[in-house]
Amino acid sequence: MKKLLLFTTLVTTLFLQLTVSAAPVKLTRAESVGMSSARLANVERRLQALLDEQDTGGFQLLVARRGKVVMYENLGYANVEQKIPVTEQTLFRIYSMTKPVIAVAMMMLYEEGHFSLSDPLSKHIPQFADLEVYTGVDEEGNMLLEAPQREPTIHDLLQHTAGFTYGVFGDTPIDKAYREQNLATPNQNLEEFIDKLASIPLLYQPGTRWVYSVAMDVQGYLIEKWSGQELGTFLEKRLFDPLGMDQTMAWVPPESASLLASMYTRNEAGDIEPYAGELYFDHFNPPAGFSGGAQLISTADDYWRMCQMLLDGGIFAGHRFLSPLTVELMSQDRLRDDIAFRDGLGFGFNVSVVRDNTLTDYPSSNGEFAWAGLASTVFWIDPNEELVVVLMTQFMPFRGAYYGELLHRLVRAAIIE
């Protein structure tokens, strides 16, 4: 398999014409976009206080409003033991923040007519034609199955309502089957992954529940099938190169290995220490199969470029990626009213969406969309306030909800008009 490094510095003249130069982030005075520099300084002070309290190793934070970056801070250490500071070149495992990237790729192919949202999965993946649905176990512990009331659709796939699961958060026979087949982090040929997944019954009737799942890995397989390219190649050529996301990659080559931030956790004494648990991916070698759910490594600057493109209706630096209507389609809450994701939150295509900001436990705007990554990275896009916030760190177990709630309070407090 071709190595899946997603950006190369050896760019042809043609790509130099098409690609946005990944120049250093240019900071704009906060007051020029209705924010307070003094109040943004409080964000930095609070994050530094967390580092002083050994909350994590380091942070990389980018805040942009009205298309202008007003804050780009690198705080603490990428490697605490060697005292290697976080810099603009530091790389972070973003895990599930890969999912919104895959949604963008899916919608690019949607605009080209490759699928309809109502298409049953079996139309594009015949292996899914004869799926059954788990309903429980009998007295001997054998699985009870029934036919699906309807087939899962592409729309279900984009919303975690298709009937799949991840296998790591539950203990049903279906979850156990996922674990036995190593489906949660499919570092395997994607065709093999699909065959294994199709051999396991659905956890629930399609469209009736929201369950976090391997659906984005199925999306990755479909992107390869429709585009005729490996997923990494498609993302590189169609998204990362034109956006100037030159620090976003599927794995870190030897010459850049020292740039990948170390992972940390806290011990019983409350001190941070290197994380010795499961990282799920070998981030220093090309994968056997690209995980559409969790593969990518990136930086706050790179990720902001994609976010800003979405906030601006599908365009960045003059390059059109999606139409404004397609971005709206992707970022709308599309869950049925009787299906809950979380208090106040619905779900769009691979992103959470604030459905009722009076029910969230942090200040937010209705229509704000977001997601986070396993290593406590987090981002959100607030169209109402024309705001993008991206936070990178490397900490397990997941603390992204805490960091997201804190930053919602601190960053929104800096908006003065």
Side-chain angles (χ1 to χ4, degrees):
M1 173 177 280
K2 176 186 173 183
K3 291 185 177 181
L4 292 175
L5 175 62
L6 297 179
F7 193 89
T8 175
T9 55
L10 302 176
V11 186
T12 63
T13 301
L14 175 61
F15 274 101
L16 280 172
Q17 294 172 351
L18 295 177
T19 302
V20 177
S21 175
V25 173
K26 179 181 178 181
L27 290 176
T28 296
R29 187 169 177 268
E31 282 72 15
S32 70
V33 293
M35 300 188 76
S36 164
S37 299
R39 284 173 170 257
L40 283 175
N42 186 51
V43 180
E44 179 184 356
R45 285 192 293 270
R46 185 67 190 115
L47 292 182
Q48 185 58 58
L50 290 177
L51 296 178
D52 294 341
E53 296 163 8
Q54 296 200 58
D55 198 77
T56 186
F59 291 112
Q60 187 176 82
L61 173 67
L62 187 148
V63 178
R65 193 173 193 224
R66 299 174 184 168
K68 305 295 185 181
V69 177
V70 295
M71 186 176 191
Y72 188 28
E73 294 295 334
N74 294 283
L75 304 169
Y77 294 106
N79 185 299
V80 175
E81 296 73 40
Q82 299 180 31
K83 297 195 180 305
I84 298 174
V86 174
T87 70
E88 293 182 4
Q89 285 72 48
T90 301
L91 302 173
F92 299 85
R93 304 163 188 84
I94 66 171
Y95 287 109
S96 286
M97 278 170 52
T98 301
K99 292 175 168 67
V101 178
I102 297 301
V104 171
M106 286 285 289
M107 299 319 290
M108 293 171 80
L109 292 170
Y110 173 78
E111 289 190 335
E112 295 174 8
H114 290 277
F115 66 93
S116 168
L117 295 177
S118 61
D119 285 349
L121 291 187
S122 63
K123 176 179 179 179
H124 303 280
I125 309 176
Q127 295 95 312
F128 290 151
D130 299 314
L131 292 172
E132 295 183 288
V133 180
Y134 169 78
T135 62
V137 296
D138 62 20
E139 293 179 355
E140 285 76 38
N142 300 310
M143 281 195 288
L144 298 174
L145 304 174
E146 65 182 11
Q149 296 168 4
R150 64 165 176 80
E151 286 195 54
T153 65
I154 300 292
H155 190 279
D156 291 317
L157 197 67
L158 288 158
Q159 288 227 278
H160 289 300
T161 59
F164 301 124
T165 183
Y166 249 126
V168 295
F169 304 114
D171 201 35
T172 69
I174 303 301
D175 293 296
K176 292 176 182 177
Y178 273 58
R179 292 195 289 270
E180 290 170 359
Q181 297 288 355
N182 191 32
L183 294 180
T185 52
N187 186 17
Q188 55 195 296
N189 176 276
L190 288 181
E191 190 75 41
E192 177 185 349
F193 162 76
I194 291 294
D195 288 341
K196 290 179 179 180
L197 183 62
S199 72
I200 301 172
L202 298 174
L203 179 63
Y204 56 92
Q205 285 289 348
T208 63
R209 293 172 57 189
W210 186 97
V211 176
Y212 203 39
S213 74
V214 298
M216 284 62 181
D217 296 292
V218 180
Q219 291 174 40
Y221 171 82
L222 287 171
I223 291 167
E224 291 197 343
K225 182 175 182 178
W226 291 326
S227 70
Q229 297 178 303
E230 291 178 343
L231 181 54
T233 301
F234 179 88
L235 294 176
E236 175 188 351
K237 302 304 182 185
R238 295 290 302 276
L239 194 61
F240 299 152
D241 279 357
L243 279 170
M245 295 173 65
D246 61 352
Q247 292 177 280
T248 301
M249 57 196 72
W251 62 283
V252 181
E255 62 270 21
S256 300
S258 63
L259 298 178
L260 184 61
S262 298
M263 191 74 66
Y264 289 95
T265 191
R266 298 182 79 175
N267 58 29
E268 293 181 357
D271 299 324
I272 61 167
E273 63 182 18
Y275 178 73
E278 178 63 67
L279 292 176
Y280 302 103
F281 296 95
D282 175 2
H283 291 103
F284 297 102
N285 289 288
F290 190 114
S291 169
Q295 189 75 54
L296 289 175
I297 294 161
S298 191
T299 66
D301 171 23
D302 269 26
Y303 207 84
W304 161 71
R305 291 168 179 265
M306 185 192 75
C307 293
Q308 192 64 52
M309 177 271 290
L310 292 172
L311 179 59
D312 289 343
I315 193 168
F316 185 85
H319 188 111
R320 171 66 65 184
F321 296 86
L322 295 170
S323 79
L325 293 178
T326 301
V327 174
E328 182 180 4
L329 176 68
M330 169 188 164
S331 59
Q332 287 175 333
D333 171 26
R334 302 184 64 82
L335 282 184
R336 287 181 355 202
D337 290 342
D338 61 334
I339 299 178
F341 165 52
R342 193 172 297 161
D343 286 347
L345 298 181
F347 211 76
F349 292 162
N350 300 5
V351 290
S352 64
V353 183
V354 176
R355 173 185 285 178
D356 184 348
N357 64 352
T358 68
L359 299 178
T360 60
D361 57 2
Y362 52 86
S364 62
S365 299
N366 289 335
E368 176 185 303
F369 56 106
W371 204 237
L374 179 65
S376 303
T377 60
V378 65
F379 85 97
W380 78 86
I381 301 169
D382 184 341
N384 184 60
E385 296 294 346
E386 301 178 82
L387 183 71
V388 175
V389 178
V390 183
L391 179 75
M392 299 293 186
T393 190
Q394 300 284 258
F395 185 92
M396 289 194 190
F398 177 71
R399 281 174 59 80
Y402 167 73
Y403 293 138
E405 186 274 337
L406 175 66
L407 286 173
H408 269 86
R409 287 190 280 121
L410 296 176
V411 173
R412 288 175 68 90
I415 296 175
I416 54 178
E417 64 179 46

